[in-house]
Amino acid sequence: MTQEELLEQIYKKDNKAFTLLYDMYARSLFGVIFNLIKDKEEAEDVLQEVFIKIWKNIDSYNENKGRFFTWILNIARNAAIDKLRSKNFNNNQKNLSADNFVHILDDPSKINNKIDTIGIQEFVKKLKPKCIQLIDLLFFKGYTQQEVSDELEIPLGTVKTQNRNCINELRNLLKV
């Protein structure tokens, strides 16, 4: 089947055409998506979304403006970029499960890490709840100050001031 025949069938919403479309382009589009996202499962999810967008928006394709492959490639690229920019994706990348790190604390050869980790947690727990939340986001979860500002819905300047005050409070606790 030629690309023109395939497009005709897609315009008619022929289910066989969708399968053929997927078979013809899935590998190429997945490669583009995966190159940007670097996570196989997320890339597979985006690929599914891309094919749904292609299917639903086929009427917006204009062959006078460019090749079909270029059009679907742009849909895939834009969907991957949207995923990368999404707050949920970024938070999932930062909020790794503690299960990923349990082996560090359970390994007897890492006893210094264990003592250090327990000690820091005990000091942080003594801070005000606002400081605990701020330190958790900034230092343990790796948020930027701007991301903390967005997450907590407070001005960036307030985040910076509170961060400085909380760190000073933590320093004072460590001196005792």
Side-chain angles (χ1 to χ4, degrees), residues 28-171:
S28 299
L29 298 181
F30 179 80
V32 169
I33 295 165
F34 184 77
N35 263 347
L36 290 167
I37 293 180
K38 308 271 191 255
D39 180 299
K40 186 175 186 249
E41 288 180 23
E42 291 287 344
E44 288 170 349
D45 289 346
V46 171
L47 182 66
Q48 287 180 341
E49 293 169 19
V50 165
F51 276 99
I52 291 168
K53 284 180 185 178
I54 293 168
W55 191 252
K56 287 183 176 180
N57 298 316
I58 190 64
D59 293 330
S60 67
Y61 168 65
N62 182 345
E63 62 187 40
N64 295 327
K65 290 186 177 180
R67 294 181 19 206
F68 179 70
F69 183 70
T70 305
W71 183 71
I72 64 174
L73 200 58
N74 282 327
I75 292 173
R77 185 179 157 280
N78 291 340
I81 290 170
D82 289 347
K83 178 58 105 177
L84 284 173
R85 290 180 179 164
S86 76
K87 192 175 199 178
N88 190 27
F89 179 78
N90 287 320
N91 287 346
N92 286 340
Q93 294 299 100
K94 289 177 185 161
N95 297 333
L96 295 174
S97 169
D99 295 339
N100 294 332
F101 303 101
V102 166
H103 68 280
I104 294 170
L105 296 177
D106 289 338
D107 185 351
S109 69
K110 308 271 192 211
I111 194 73
N112 289 339
N113 289 344
K114 188 173 186 176
I115 293 168
D116 190 39
T117 303
I118 292 169
I120 291 171
Q121 287 176 344
E122 290 305 312
F123 282 107
V124 170
K125 286 180 186 176
K126 293 178 183 178
L127 297 172
K128 295 179 231 165
K130 193 180 287 185
C131 285
I132 293 171
Q133 183 181 33
L134 196 67
I135 288 174
D136 180 55
L137 292 173
L138 286 170
F139 296 99
F140 296 118
K141 293 185 178 166
Y143 282 40
T144 65
Q145 290 180 341
Q146 182 62 57
E147 289 169 332
V148 171
S149 170
D150 295 341
E151 179 77 19
L152 301 179
E153 298 177 350
I154 57 177
L156 180 59
T158 303
V159 170
K160 291 179 179 185
T161 301
Q162 286 180 354
N163 180 34
R164 188 171 40 255
N165 293 341
C166 292
I167 294 298
N168 285 335
E169 197 175 316
L170 187 58
R171 277 189 191 123

